[in-house]
Amino acid sequence: MREIGSGNVKLEIEDRRAEVRLNRPEKRNAMNEALLTDLRTALEEVEADDDVRAMLLLGEGPVFCAGMDLEMMRERGEGDSAEMETSLDDVTHFIDDMSVPSVAGIRGAAVAGAFELVLPVDFRVIDSEANYGLLEVNLGVFPSGGATQRLPRMVGLSKAKELVLTGELIDPEEAADCDLVHEVVDDADDVEARAREWADNLAGNAPLGMKHAREMLNSALDMPLSEGLELEAARGQQLVDTDDYTEGFTARLEGREPEFEGK
């Protein structure tokens, strides 16, 4: 695993799986501009690699991420720092638009900005004792890294208001019940291994099929049903002429695992 940029993020690409790891363990991986810049660089490298079929987002040490760096945020409030060149919005929008599916392995905590960081990730695996939720209203602000827009689409407006306006943490099991996370793991030490299994399972699927399906799912609530169905049918027809389409059905008929090439 190699360091990216100033070393606040590490990246490893192996077996068609990219592992992106936040790397400020001494600060509980709190996000400052340097980390966000390194993270954006790592994500861009993952997106540019045609061999990558799934991405895994992790944190170095026992805590996935404690949110935004509080010292940095205070300095911004005092006017002592310039506008950030790379923001949390830049990163989450990029994750939204990536062509490969993603999995986050959450140990220890993912609060405030870290909670928002993993919202656009496709699958979230969390340890049963992790701190998870939005704290911003207790800090004089509100979650403006995507939570007020993504949460209502994910859990409904009423639950989104509860999470945002109370500033209280949500128990991981409750988060699973309302589809905020996809799996709760009892032992924090097993979170990364389980998240890696999710990523490896995704990496075995047809990359073009996942790319088109992910795009359609992410845009489903932003268009009328009739328009979505029409676009879905057109996208599906496009894949009929690909090598992966032929390989998928041929492999199933021959009783073997398919070897998709993404073309």
Side-chain angles (χ1 to χ4, degrees):
M1 184 165 275
R2 57 189 174 82
E3 294 184 349
I4 298 294
S6 56
N8 290 286
V9 170
K10 294 179 180 179
L11 173 63
E12 181 176 60
I13 297 175
E14 183 179 7
D15 296 330
R16 297 185 172 180
R17 179 191 69 238
E19 293 195 12
V20 177
R21 188 180 292 270
L22 309 183
N23 188 40
R24 288 186 82 205
E26 74 284 358
K27 296 290 187 179
R28 303 173 75 219
N29 296 317
M31 295 179 286
N32 58 8
E33 185 173 359
L35 186 147
L36 289 169
T37 298
D38 289 349
L39 180 54
R40 174 63 186 259
T41 299
L43 295 175
E44 290 174 350
E45 185 170 333
V46 170
E47 181 68 3
D49 193 323
D50 292 335
D51 290 331
V52 173
R53 302 287 174 81
M55 183 186 74
L56 182 60
L57 183 60
L58 305 169
E60 188 69 32
V63 174
F64 170 74
C65 180
M68 301 302 294
D69 186 289
L70 295 182
E71 293 180 2
M72 179 193 71
M73 298 303 289
R74 182 179 62 182
E75 290 173 359
R76 289 181 68 195
E78 294 174 347
D80 293 336
S81 63
E83 189 71 21
M84 293 174 64
E85 294 183 8
T86 302
S87 69
L88 180 58
D89 274 346
D90 294 327
V91 172
T92 55
H93 289 165
F94 194 90
I95 295 173
D96 263 332
D97 293 336
M98 291 182 75
S99 60
V100 296
S102 51
V103 182
I106 303 166
R107 297 191 302 183
V111 296
F115 182 96
E116 295 183 286
L117 173 64
V118 298
L119 286 181
V121 174
D122 297 304
F123 301 98
R124 291 166 290 280
V125 179
I126 191 170
D127 91 69
S128 60
E129 300 298 324
N131 292 325
Y132 194 52
L134 296 162
L135 311 174
E136 283 87 343
V137 294
N138 298 317
L139 299 172
V141 292
F142 75 96
S144 55
T148 66
Q149 301 306 301
R150 289 190 175 94
L151 273 177
R153 290 167 166 82
M154 297 171 71
V155 300
L157 181 58
S158 180
K159 190 65 177 180
K161 286 183 176 181
E162 177 186 333
L163 292 168
V164 171
L165 299 180
T166 67
E168 296 178 356
L169 300 177
I170 181 171
D171 180 79
E173 291 289 352
E174 183 185 353
D177 289 340
C178 63
D179 297 329
L180 270 175
V181 300
H182 297 81
E183 184 173 346
V184 180
V185 179
D186 289 335
D187 191 336
D189 292 336
D190 295 333
V191 167
E192 290 192 4
R194 185 64 188 123
R196 195 170 287 113
E197 289 179 11
W198 276 79
D200 287 341
N201 288 336
L202 292 167
N205 293 333
L208 291 177
M210 288 194 297
K211 175 180 182 294
H212 284 278
R214 189 174 187 274
E215 290 175 357
M216 290 302 306
L217 288 164
N218 283 346
S219 63
L221 299 181
D222 298 327
M223 67 180 82
L225 177 60
S226 58
E227 181 182 338
L229 290 172
E230 182 178 350
L231 182 58
E232 178 188 73
R235 289 286 193 93
Q237 185 60 39
Q238 289 177 19
L239 296 184
V240 173
D241 297 326
T242 65
D243 293 343
D244 279 0
Y245 178 94
T246 302
E247 170 63 13
F249 285 95
T250 300
R252 179 59 61 93
L253 289 170
E254 294 177 354
R256 60 176 175 82
E257 291 296 320
E259 298 181 4
F260 296 117
E261 297 295 333
K263 58 185 180 179

